[in-house]
Amino acid sequence: KLPRVREHRGALMHLQGHPPRWQPVFCVLRGDGRLEWFRHKEEHESGRRVLGSTALTGYTLLTSQPEYLRLLDALCPDSSGDHVQEETEPLLEAPVSFPLFLQHPFRRHLCFSAATREAQRAWRLALQGGIRLRGTVLQRSQAPAARAFLEAVRLYRQHRGHFGEDDVTLGSDAEVLAAVLMRGLLPATRAQSLPDPRGAGRARAWAWTELADAVYAAVLAGASAGLRAFQPEKDELLASLDRSLRPDLDQMLQLRARVAGRLRADVQGPLKACLRRKVDTRLSQVTQTLLSTVEAALDAVRTLLAQGMDRLSRHLRGNPSGARLRREVYAFGEMPWDPELMRKCYREAERSLGTLGQLAAPFGFLGTQSLVFGVQDLAQQLMANAVATFLQLADQCLTTSLDCQQAAEQLGRVGGRVLKKFQSDGEAEQRRCVRGWLLSIFLPFMLSQLQRSCRTFQKLPEFEGDVLAMGSQALTIEGIYEDVIREVLLQRIDQ
């Protein structure tokens, strides 16, 4: 279930209505990453109906009014270059001191404003946590169904010429399908709607986001309904696949090995040339940047963890009251979900965002936000694991027969064991994380470069009949071909 979000609530100003005006609302960020707003705090406390709500999937948070206005100007540029009319538009006509702008490529923009800089900071950290929580629900899952779904989306887009990874796979299964469909719908929708704008400039952009939001809502509802309707058929397909795999698995593996050997020999020349000319020149640099990014985030986690364990030991030495010690233990256990404490770890993951984007862009990789979210999730997961291990070991070794000094010494030894385990786990997870993202960056690029070779070797007469005779969708020559490319690329990455 990691990561979760602490529920956050408070009064904000919200830009809403026609024409839009700043109005006071009471906002609540739920633990599942859903933002709700009410007219008054009392309406929330009495369980009244929400004034509005949204899941934070896919949003980007901006805290600069000029930056947001530039985004609106780019969304619907004025071909005449005349911005005189915009100065009298009611939209964002007054400067906003502490803004919180939530921008989405397919949804209505949400514009809030806090009363103080401290409130803006607290909301910024909370909203960023909610956005990450909603966006990485499939990436965090270890369920085979989640992995299969993401792979199916990748193959679907790949068959339509979109080889590069990007952030379209952020969100739940229905949200991912809706985003994929909206990529195709938006150009035609814009072409049909924008020639007859309601207003000009930023007002026109604001109206466009409302239209896009309505289209997205319809597409998301259709995708959700389609997934629900497909569930019984999916269960039948899985059962059928299981029945076909079990009796023929050994034969399938042997056939796969023979086909892979032939493909490996046939594609060896173009594959090595692609690696030498296209990939090797950047692979080392991208790898080093990824390694340093993950390492910096995990070093920040280790520092925070050590400080938390030392703080508990100091409290024990100081003969604290039971109530105070309980509060300290609770605060320590909540560290992985404290956005203020974890912000340094998360910031380390974001620090190389621009560099990574520049390095990976030539390979068609546009998923840097997903990559950063993945590193942040990893930092939080390792922190949560270490905190849970420390508390469990401390509970086992501390007894009422120990005085405060002895208990503190025991905690020190437990802390040493936890830090050693964290170091070991961190190195293994860093390697796994970097290998996975290097595959995401370079594998689609290599498949696109070798597309002609794929067509050449996709049909092997001596094996095609055998593969078809197996009668299982789990074995295809195209799939074996991609596995061969992946294996060779992994060997290069490991070197």
Side-chain angles (χ1 to χ4, degrees):
K1 297 181 180 179
L2 286 168
R4 61 184 170 90
V5 174
R6 281 184 173 179
E7 186 168 292
H8 192 78
R9 60 185 69 181
L12 292 173
M13 298 296 289
H14 182 209
L15 189 68
Q16 55 184 328
H18 293 283
R21 292 285 186 271
W22 289 102
Q23 302 177 34
V25 293
F26 185 79
C27 291
V28 179
L29 176 60
R30 301 293 186 185
D32 63 353
R34 174 170 287 275
L35 181 66
E36 300 176 348
W37 53 97
F38 302 80
R39 294 186 189 279
H40 309 285
K41 180 179 180 181
E42 294 73 22
E43 291 189 355
H44 162 64
E45 294 174 342
S46 62
R48 299 267 187 91
R49 185 175 179 180
V50 299
L51 189 63
S53 69
T54 188
L56 290 177
T57 310
Y59 279 97
T60 300
L61 179 63
L62 302 176
T63 55
S64 164
Q65 186 176 11
E67 184 179 358
Y68 177 67
L69 293 179
R70 286 194 296 270
L71 184 148
L72 283 181
D73 292 340
L75 190 60
C76 292
D78 188 351
S79 58
S80 66
D82 182 10
H83 296 281
V84 176
Q85 184 179 356
E86 292 184 17
E87 296 178 0
T88 62
E89 290 177 358
L91 181 59
L92 298 174
E93 60 183 2
V96 183
S97 299
F98 309 107
L100 296 157
F101 299 117
L102 287 164
Q103 180 266 336
H104 194 286
F106 314 126
R107 307 195 67 180
R108 185 196 315 262
H109 295 178
L110 298 173
C111 301
F112 296 97
S113 175
T116 64
R117 188 170 303 281
E118 292 73 20
Q120 181 197 42
R121 175 186 173 83
W123 273 107
R124 175 174 59 82
L125 293 173
L127 290 169
Q128 287 173 338
I131 292 169
R132 178 169 58 93
L133 167 74
R134 301 290 306 197
T136 57
V137 60
L138 289 175
Q139 283 77 4
R140 293 194 314 272
S141 175
Q142 298 301 314
R147 300 294 174 188
F149 176 81
L150 291 174
E151 184 72 359
V153 172
R154 185 184 68 82
L155 290 172
Y156 172 86
R157 301 183 73 237
Q158 186 172 297
H159 281 298
R160 282 153 182 77
H162 302 287
F163 281 87
E165 295 273 346
D166 62 20
D167 295 324
V168 74
T169 54
L170 290 175
S172 67
D173 49 4
E175 289 168 332
V176 169
L177 291 183
V180 170
L181 291 169
M182 287 295 291
R183 293 283 182 91
L185 285 173
L186 271 189
T189 307
R190 285 179 66 89
Q192 294 173 11
S193 61
L194 289 183
D196 184 24
R198 293 185 296 166
R202 292 165 186 164
R204 184 183 183 193
W206 187 264
W208 162 248
T209 67
E210 292 182 332
L211 173 61
D213 186 79
V215 176
Y216 177 83
V219 172
L220 180 62
S224 300
L227 284 168
R228 287 194 300 270
F230 177 63
Q231 186 63 44
E233 182 182 352
K234 185 178 77 171
D235 293 340
E236 292 178 7
L237 287 169
L238 285 172
S240 173
L241 186 63
D242 184 63
R243 288 193 298 270
S244 69
L245 280 175
R246 288 184 183 276
D248 300 326
L249 185 57
D250 289 341
Q251 185 180 353
M252 290 176 64
L253 291 175
Q254 293 172 8
L255 177 58
R256 182 200 175 279
R258 292 200 303 273
V259 177
R262 169 62 187 279
L263 286 171
R264 196 177 291 110
D266 288 346
V267 80
Q268 187 175 15
L271 179 55
K272 285 187 175 180
C274 178
L275 285 169
R276 187 173 57 254
R277 294 196 312 267
K278 306 283 189 177
V279 174
D280 287 349
T281 55
R282 292 290 186 94
L283 179 58
S284 178
Q285 192 176 4
V286 175
T287 301
Q288 188 57 49
T289 304
L290 276 172
L291 282 169
S292 60
T293 299
V294 180
E295 186 176 14
L298 298 190
D299 283 348
V301 172
R302 190 184 189 281
T303 300
L304 185 61
L305 178 64
Q307 291 172 348
M309 293 187 296
D310 289 344
R311 191 165 54 248
L312 282 179
S313 295
R314 288 197 304 271
H315 279 292
L316 270 178
R317 287 191 178 93
N319 293 308
S321 66
R324 183 180 178 186
L325 183 58
R326 281 194 294 272
R327 288 196 300 270
E328 291 296 330
V329 172
Y330 176 79
F332 178 81
E334 284 293 298
M335 278 201 308
W337 296 278
D338 189 325
E340 183 66 35
L341 278 176
M342 294 292 292
R343 77 184 190 282
K344 187 176 188 306
C345 312
Y346 298 154
R347 195 165 57 239
E348 291 293 345
E350 297 170 351
R351 204 177 295 279
S352 301
L353 183 64
T355 304
L356 280 170
Q358 292 175 0
L359 289 173
F363 302 96
F365 180 81
L366 302 174
T368 47
Q369 187 61 72
S370 300
L371 193 159
V372 168
F373 282 168
V375 177
Q376 291 173 339
D377 281 351
L378 174 61
Q380 187 180 41
Q381 180 69 68
L382 288 174
M383 171 64 90
N385 292 348
V387 164
T389 301
F390 177 84
L391 292 177
Q392 184 176 7
L393 292 177
D395 188 56
Q396 292 171 1
C397 76
L398 295 183
T399 65
T400 54
S401 63
L402 301 175
D403 61 30
C404 289
Q405 183 64 31
Q406 292 171 328
E409 291 174 357
Q410 285 278 37
L411 279 190
R413 285 190 283 271
V414 168
R417 292 173 60 188
V418 169
L419 288 177
K420 284 183 180 179
K421 186 177 189 307
F422 178 85
Q423 187 69 25
S424 174
D425 291 348
E427 290 174 357
E429 287 299 314
Q430 181 185 30
R431 175 181 171 85
R432 181 195 60 79
C433 178
V434 171
R435 287 174 96 238
W437 283 111
L438 287 172
L439 272 179
S440 296
I441 292 170
F442 290 105
L443 180 60
F445 171 78
M446 290 182 62
L447 291 173
S448 67
Q449 294 292 304
L450 297 168
Q451 196 171 22
R452 293 181 180 178
S453 302
C454 179
R455 290 176 183 147
T456 302
F457 304 124
Q458 192 173 2
K459 295 186 177 181
L460 302 180
E462 64 268 43
F463 293 118
E464 188 176 12
D466 293 337
V467 171
L468 292 174
M470 294 301 300
S472 173
Q473 297 175 346
L475 190 68
T476 65
I477 291 180
E478 185 179 1
I480 299 171
Y481 171 86
E482 187 167 313
D483 286 344
V484 168
I485 306 301
R486 181 184 286 105
E487 290 167 6
V488 174
L489 178 58
L490 271 178
Q491 291 172 3
R492 207 61 148 232
I493 288 171
D494 291 339
Q495 290 173 4

